[in-house]
Amino acid sequence: MTQEAHIELKPQSRPGHPGGHHGQMPGGARGAGFRPGGGPAAKAYEERTGIKAPRIIAWEITRSCNLACAHCRAAAHLEPYPGELSLDEIKATIDDICSITNPILILTGGEPLMRKDIFEIIDYAHAAGAMPVIGTNGTFIDDALAARIKEHGIPRVSVSLDFPDAERQDKFRGETGAFDAAIRGIKALQKAGVGVQVNSTITKQNMDLLDQLHDLAVDLGAEAFHIFMLVPTGRGEGMADLAMSPAESEQALTWAYQKQKHSPMHFKPTDSPQYYRIIRQQAKLDGIEVTPETYGMDALTRGCLGGITFVFISHVGDLQPCGYFNLQCGNVKEKPFSQIWTESKVFNDLRDYSKLEGKCGACGFKAVCGGCRARALEATGDYMAEEPCCDYLPPKYQAA
């Protein structure tokens, strides 16, 4: 399984984190002039409905995978899955999506490169006005495939690396040789001129290896480094005891803030919306106001975007706020994507921050954080409940 969340593409024109990156590294869609959710269709949709159009869509174009990763939300396996969307169904859904927005489409899995028609999907998405990118485990990519990825206009590929050495990566990914194959894939992409983003799922097993993972990504020439906090769903339910505590998560995210100051890569902690609280708290200590001029897109986005400007489409066409949010909100075989996006009660709940409960509801940072709704759902059965992996106690909540 590949981490499904964001392949972040930032504009070159914006400054970035103070002391760190300056916006987009070469190869990003926005650096090439693409602005997701900024086209005429998206603007018309928002004017018509009052709802923001989706800007990033993670699409599990297949659930089949050549690896058996310990944390996989999909519990993916090698064999084909029944009911996967056909090419015609995918094309029809792309047409409907692009009638209301021009998103980044993250083609993920499973292992998306196992889908034989992936390049036809990529070409169709480009023609419709979307920007496709790929999230992969990297093990299939050789020089020829990397050149083909470049030829079909993919600006960036994310590759999953969770340990800085072969022994532990191979054990975590369930396949001997997975580490070496992923490294070869990254080098092939670099050779072909395709931007690379490294995704790392962080648990108690590797939280002390963050510096080593960062340095490996730098050595490989990655443009971006995204750390994913484990959400124990799918096969990952068996790793619940390895999920970091709230205090450990806070430590890892503070590390990311400090490391970003001097890193050549852009960071995007994922499944950890409290990072956007930490940015503001740490910036205040540094005497810096968080603005687009000082923090680029980090000043303009928020933590949990599920159902707000981000959505996940499963291999069979189910829509979810994100891939870890185990509640289906509609299916594109039964109802158009645009209708589900507009009418889903779950999506509309998530867009209303006043419905957040517990300490998330009392938090002064809820507009920039929002808590991980998938983690709340998994822990409590209530997707509007407080984030269970946040160490912060809002003053209003303490007073109550």
Side-chain angles (χ1 to χ4, degrees):
M1 171 233 170
T2 54
Q3 289 98 336
E4 57 85 21
H6 307 163
I7 295 184
E8 188 72 8
L9 303 170
K10 291 182 172 283
Q12 287 176 322
S13 59
R14 289 200 186 278
H17 194 301
H21 73 98
H22 286 272
Q24 164 70 16
M25 297 291 188
R30 281 181 174 150
F34 186 81
R35 196 169 158 230
K43 292 176 182 176
Y45 173 79
E46 185 171 355
E47 289 174 2
R48 184 171 70 252
T49 64
I51 299 170
K52 291 186 181 298
R55 295 174 184 167
I56 303 177
I57 299 172
W59 198 332
E60 180 188 60
I61 58 172
T62 181
R63 184 163 280 192
S64 298
C65 189
N66 60 316
L67 302 183
C69 305
H71 67 300
C72 182
R73 59 153 182 83
H77 54 64
L78 185 62
E79 293 77 19
Y81 282 79
E84 287 195 343
L85 294 175
S86 68
L87 179 60
D88 285 343
E89 288 170 328
I90 287 176
K91 287 180 176 180
T93 301
I94 289 173
D95 286 340
D96 183 54
I97 288 169
C98 290
S99 73
I100 64 165
T101 189
N102 57 314
I104 292 172
L105 284 183
I106 305 173
L107 304 181
T108 183
E111 173 46 57
L113 293 172
M114 289 185 68
R115 182 144 181 157
K116 297 184 185 303
D117 54 8
I118 184 171
F119 289 104
E120 191 168 351
I121 294 169
I122 287 168
D123 291 347
Y124 196 86
H126 273 302
M131 175 58 75
V133 294
I134 296 173
T136 171
N137 61 44
T139 59
F140 285 135
I141 300 175
D142 56 16
D143 286 349
L145 185 53
R148 197 173 179 198
I149 288 169
K150 174 68 173 179
E151 177 187 341
H152 285 265
I154 296 294
R156 181 179 287 182
V157 173
S158 69
V159 178
S160 301
L161 288 175
D162 310 290
F163 289 90
D165 58 83
E167 180 180 356
R168 288 177 287 188
Q169 172 80 358
D170 290 358
K171 182 178 179 181
F172 191 70
R173 292 282 163 178
E175 182 74 22
T176 300
F179 178 82
D180 289 339
I183 297 296
R184 285 195 300 271
I186 289 172
K187 290 180 177 179
L189 289 165
Q190 295 280 22
K191 181 179 176 182
V194 178
V196 173
Q197 170 182 310
V198 169
N199 292 347
S200 300
T201 296
I202 307 302
T203 68
K204 291 178 184 289
Q205 289 181 315
N206 62 354
M207 61 178 291
D208 293 332
L209 303 175
L210 280 166
D211 280 309
Q212 293 179 51
L213 283 165
H214 170 273
D215 293 348
L216 174 61
V218 170
D219 289 345
L220 290 169
E223 299 173 354
F225 181 53
H226 289 203
I227 59 174
F228 286 65
M229 301 302 183
L230 177 69
V231 180
T233 59
R235 198 178 286 128
E237 287 182 1
M239 296 180 65
D241 60 330
L242 294 175
M244 290 188 293
S245 69
E248 289 168 335
S249 295
E250 194 86 359
Q251 178 183 344
L253 295 173
T254 302
W255 170 89
Y257 174 88
Q258 297 296 341
K259 195 73 172 181
Q260 174 75 103
K261 292 180 180 179
H262 308 291
S263 177
M265 302 182 295
H266 174 254
F267 284 33
K268 177 65 170 66
T270 302
D271 306 320
S272 47
Q274 57 269 44
Y275 180 64
Y276 291 89
R277 164 182 55 81
I278 289 171
I279 284 178
R280 284 154 179 83
Q281 291 173 318
Q282 293 294 317
K284 185 176 182 179
L285 293 174
D286 291 340
I288 302 170
E289 184 181 358
V290 178
T291 69
E293 289 68 40
T294 56
Y295 282 80
M297 286 295 293
D298 284 342
L300 299 173
T301 189
R302 80 186 294 263
C304 183
L305 296 169
I308 301 169
T309 57
F310 179 89
V311 69
F312 172 85
I313 307 175
S314 81
H315 63 300
V316 295
D318 289 329
L319 264 64
Q320 302 167 210
C322 76
Y324 304 98
F325 193 109
N326 285 329
L327 187 63
Q328 285 66 48
C329 302
N331 187 287
V332 298
K333 294 179 181 178
E334 301 166 359
K335 190 181 293 186
F337 173 97
S338 55
Q339 186 178 351
I340 300 169
W341 180 257
T342 304
E343 298 176 357
S344 164
K345 179 185 183 303
V346 175
F347 292 165
N348 283 305
D349 283 346
L350 296 173
R351 294 162 189 159
D352 186 352
Y353 309 157
S354 71
K355 292 186 176 182
L356 291 169
E357 300 170 4
K359 66 180 183 181
C360 286
C363 185
F365 294 101
K366 66 183 176 183
V368 297
C369 171
C372 177
R373 299 298 95 217
R375 197 174 281 115
L377 177 65
E378 184 68 22
T380 71
D382 180 357
Y383 55 82
M384 300 307 287
E386 67 182 49
E387 155 75 81
C389 197
C390 178
D391 204 37
Y392 178 64
L393 282 176
K396 287 183 182 179
Y397 188 74
Q398 294 181 62

